[in-house]
Amino acid sequence: MEVQSIDNQINKYAANITSIKEAQSRINSFIHKTPVLSSETLNSITGRRLLFKCECFQKGGAFKFRGASNAVFSLNNGQAAKGVVTHSSGNHAAALALAAKLRGIPAYIVVPKNAPKCKVENVQRYGGIVIWSEPTMQSRESVAAKVMHDTEAVLIHPYNDGRIISGQGTISLELLEQFPKIDTIIAPISGGGLISGIAVAAKSVNPAIRVLAAEPKGANDAALSKASGNIVTLLETNTIADGLRASLGDLTWPIVRDLVDDIIIVEDREIVEAMRLCYEILKVAVEPSGAIALAAVLSDSFQKNSVWKDCNHIGIILSGGNVDLGVIWRSLSQ
């Protein structure tokens, strides 16, 4: 009865287990099935078994390629011929450019002038057509709207899109196939596309699984939203995790509200320390956004919270590895 109730609940969202399984079939020949790493050292430090899903090894260097390829290959031929457009300062931009390249269609990428250099270079490397905007959401959206008007390209939103959410949900299906005993999954949260897909898929497979989000203190709008029961938008954000500065969308918010069990807030210094541990112990280079789930597990707010004492087999999503090394070296030396 309880399982049926959860299934009925999940079916009301922008993505469900059917759309996620369809996405998995659609993108299977394009994506990497990413490995899962573990470390006895990190297990000992945390007192749990940690299983690191390495989306930093995904094509394009981040999980975003899953959603982008699902969206691009969902288009009919008439839609695809016009190309796709998005506004993004990070990994979604590169992912969409790569997915469009694989389908042989143009990708118009509106990029704010303050975007990380390494991520802009990825867009260009994959053949995306970069169109600059001012570093405000209003400018990004207005420039994207003009591109859509001029080209008739299809808008692929970075996270507030059922196709994107479904694509990201394939991470859970893979991870739970690789390690069925996982009782908890922790992933970053920003606009909510990743955690929404993960939550829908994971709780469809195992209704008892815990899904936790990790968020930087300087961009804690999702935690504030959960606390208030409504979407909260911050006037400004301040965090090293440049990929976690977006606000929840009207499609991701209901899933985060209903299916994400809690949001763990961490400081930037904890994120940098988690990046260091990933590099020194796992031998994996991850960007700040990609390391935040490990930072959450290491935090006092998780370790000392009795609610999570039974979280023994934890899947940690290392969401991306597109790191601006100059920024990181400066952070590590402070």
Side-chain angles (χ1 to χ4, degrees):
M1 186 70 176
E2 181 182 348
V3 172
Q4 184 178 4
S5 174
I6 290 174
D7 286 342
N8 290 339
Q9 179 185 7
I10 288 175
N11 283 332
K12 71 183 181 182
Y13 301 123
N16 55 44
I17 192 61
T18 300
S19 68
I20 292 169
K21 287 182 176 180
E22 288 172 350
Q24 188 176 46
S25 297
R26 185 177 293 117
I27 69 179
N28 190 52
S29 63
F30 301 105
I31 64 167
H32 292 317
K33 184 174 183 179
T34 53
V36 177
L37 302 182
S38 63
S39 161
E40 290 302 322
T41 300
L42 292 174
N43 290 349
S44 177
I45 290 171
T46 60
R48 333 263 177 150
R49 187 177 188 203
L50 306 184
L51 298 155
F52 295 89
K53 182 64 168 162
C54 294
E55 285 298 294
C56 48
F57 297 154
Q58 188 54 261
K59 289 182 180 178
F63 75 94
K64 291 279 191 178
F65 182 67
R66 292 175 183 265
S69 57
N70 186 49
V72 166
F73 286 95
S74 295
L75 300 175
N76 63 42
N77 290 336
Q79 293 171 316
K82 305 287 188 179
V84 290
V85 61
T86 197
H87 54 84
S88 170
S89 59
N91 291 326
H92 175 70
L96 190 64
L98 177 56
K101 180 179 181 180
L102 291 175
R103 185 149 185 191
I105 63 175
Y108 305 96
I109 313 296
V110 177
V111 179
K113 293 176 181 176
N114 65 345
K117 181 181 178 183
C118 66
K119 296 185 178 181
V120 177
E121 289 173 347
N122 277 348
V123 173
Q124 295 169 328
R125 184 178 300 121
Y126 298 136
I129 302 164
V130 173
I131 301 147
W132 296 101
S133 74
E134 296 302 318
T136 66
M137 186 57 68
Q138 181 180 6
S139 175
R140 286 165 54 159
E141 290 178 344
S142 64
V143 173
K146 184 177 187 304
V147 173
M148 289 173 61
H149 178 269
D150 293 345
T151 64
E152 297 183 0
V154 178
L155 177 68
I156 307 294
H157 194 277
Y159 53 87
N160 202 44
D161 184 307
R163 300 164 298 186
I164 295 292
I165 296 169
S166 297
Q168 319 309 23
T170 63
I171 295 172
S172 278
L173 297 186
E174 261 185 33
L175 180 58
L176 293 175
E177 287 169 1
Q178 291 165 312
F179 287 91
K181 290 185 178 180
I182 284 174
D183 55 45
T184 308
I185 298 177
I186 306 181
I189 189 168
S190 181
L194 172 62
I195 197 74
S196 292
I198 282 173
V200 169
K203 297 208 175 213
S204 295
V205 173
N206 175 11
I209 201 168
R210 303 172 183 91
V211 176
L212 305 177
E215 187 172 45
K217 184 177 181 180
N220 65 337
D221 57 288
L224 294 173
S225 299
K226 283 278 279 186
S228 71
N230 296 287
I231 295 178
V232 173
T233 303
L234 300 177
L235 294 177
E236 60 181 48
T237 58
N238 182 20
T239 175
I240 190 174
D242 62 273
L244 302 181
R245 295 172 182 163
S247 298
L248 295 167
D250 63 344
L251 299 183
T252 57
W253 161 240
I255 302 174
V256 171
R257 179 193 63 208
D258 299 344
L259 300 184
V260 174
D261 294 289
D262 201 1
I263 298 177
I264 301 166
I265 301 298
V266 297
E267 303 272 1
D268 274 11
R269 59 177 174 75
E270 295 175 297
I271 295 173
V272 172
E273 174 63 10
M275 292 176 66
R276 184 182 69 80
L277 291 173
C278 284
Y279 187 76
E280 292 184 354
I281 298 175
L282 291 179
K283 312 304 179 188
V284 173
V286 294
E287 60 191 271
S289 306
I292 195 171
L294 175 58
V297 173
L298 294 166
S299 70
D300 285 346
S301 59
F302 180 81
Q303 289 289 331
K304 296 181 179 180
N305 189 338
S306 61
V307 173
W308 312 124
K309 62 182 175 59
D310 295 327
C311 298
N312 296 315
H313 296 82
I314 303 176
I316 293 179
I317 312 301
L318 299 181
S319 57
N322 293 317
V323 58
D324 188 328
L325 291 177
V327 171
I328 299 314
W329 297 150
R330 288 193 293 274
S331 298
L332 291 172
S333 64
Q334 290 178 356

